[in-house]
Every structure is written in structure tokens, then in C-alpha cells.
Amino acid sequence: MPFPNVNPFEPSVPSATLTDNPSGLKRWPVIVAILTCGYFLTSALTLPFADDVWFGEVPLLAFIQMPKGFVKSIVQSALMSLVSASGLSSGSHSPDYIATHFWAMGVMTTVPALTLAGSLTLLQRVPRRRWLVGAVLLSASLDTIVTFWFEQSSRLSLYNSSYF
């Protein structure tokens, strides 16, 4: 029995549901927040063991810290430029680098997490937004504490390289 008034060229689902996908808009911030929390937790949990697992002359667990080291390098370069431009430079690179190291570490560990938490706060249609913001801030805080502890107590210097 044929179906009356069926056009084979029209979709069986109304077009509004094909183009408007509100769940897709909700999904991306959640995925980014979960991946970021995973990175922060992985970084915090593996950093105390970064000096224990080596492959030749390369500490394998230090590879997890490379994104943070890259961000710190960018921030440190900007801070060094600010020190020179403001006239606060001592005239030598090493003392200026040492003076800006702590500040670059602080920016490296806090700004990415605060940027993501602020973005999640501003988005209106994110399910469990408060939980996600709390999870990002908690995991980032743990990673920040472990990073500063490791920087002060370890003989392995992971954040002193300059990519620029």
C-alpha cells in the first residue's frame, strides 16, 4: 500500500531539527572542560615522578609538562620585554630572568584555568556549569600547588627553557 503525499526529496525529519542542534552546542564546553581537568590531574599526578622515569637522557614524564613550559616561555618573554621597556632592567639577562621567573610561573598556572572557568561562566546553555567550573578550578589548583612544590624541591628544571 503506497503512502499518500510522500515526497522522496523531503527529509522525514523537520529541517529545524536537522540544522539546530542545541545539544551539540552544549557538548563542546563540557568536553573541553573534562579534557582540561584530565590534563591538570595527569600533570599533577605525574610531576612528582618526572625525575624517576628516564629514556636515555630524556625524562619521559616531563613531556606532559611541555604545554605549561611553552606557555611559561611566552609569558616570560613578555615579562622580560616589560621589564626592559619600563626601565627596571638590571642590564643583564640573568637577573631579569630570575626576577620574572616566579611571576611567569604564576601566570602559566593560573591564567589558562581562569580563562576556561570564565568562559564556562559566561556560556548560558552549558549543563552542570557550576560543577564544571568547580572541577576546572579544583584540578588547576592542585596542579598549581604541585608545580610550585616541584619547582622548589626538585633538582630537575622543567620550566627554565626558552622556546623563543
Side-chain angles (χ1 to χ4, degrees), residues 1-84:
M1 176 176 202
F3 295 108
N5 299 328
V6 174
N7 185 349
F9 299 107
E10 287 185 13
S12 60
V13 179
S15 62
T17 60
L18 291 177
T19 57
D20 301 333
N21 187 1
S23 65
L25 294 174
K26 293 178 186 178
R27 193 173 310 139
W28 282 106
V30 173
I31 291 170
V32 169
I34 290 171
L35 289 175
T36 303
C37 287
Y39 173 73
F40 285 140
L41 292 175
T42 302
S43 173
L45 293 174
T46 59
L47 188 56
F49 307 105
D51 198 18
D52 295 341
V53 182
W54 287 72
F55 182 71
E57 293 190 20
V58 177
L60 290 179
L61 295 177
F63 283 115
I64 297 169
Q65 305 301 318
M66 284 184 72
K68 290 193 302 186
F70 183 72
V71 169
K72 192 235 175 213
S73 176
I74 293 170
V75 171
Q76 186 103 34
S77 297
L79 288 175
M80 294 287 287
S81 297
L82 284 173
V83 165
S84 295

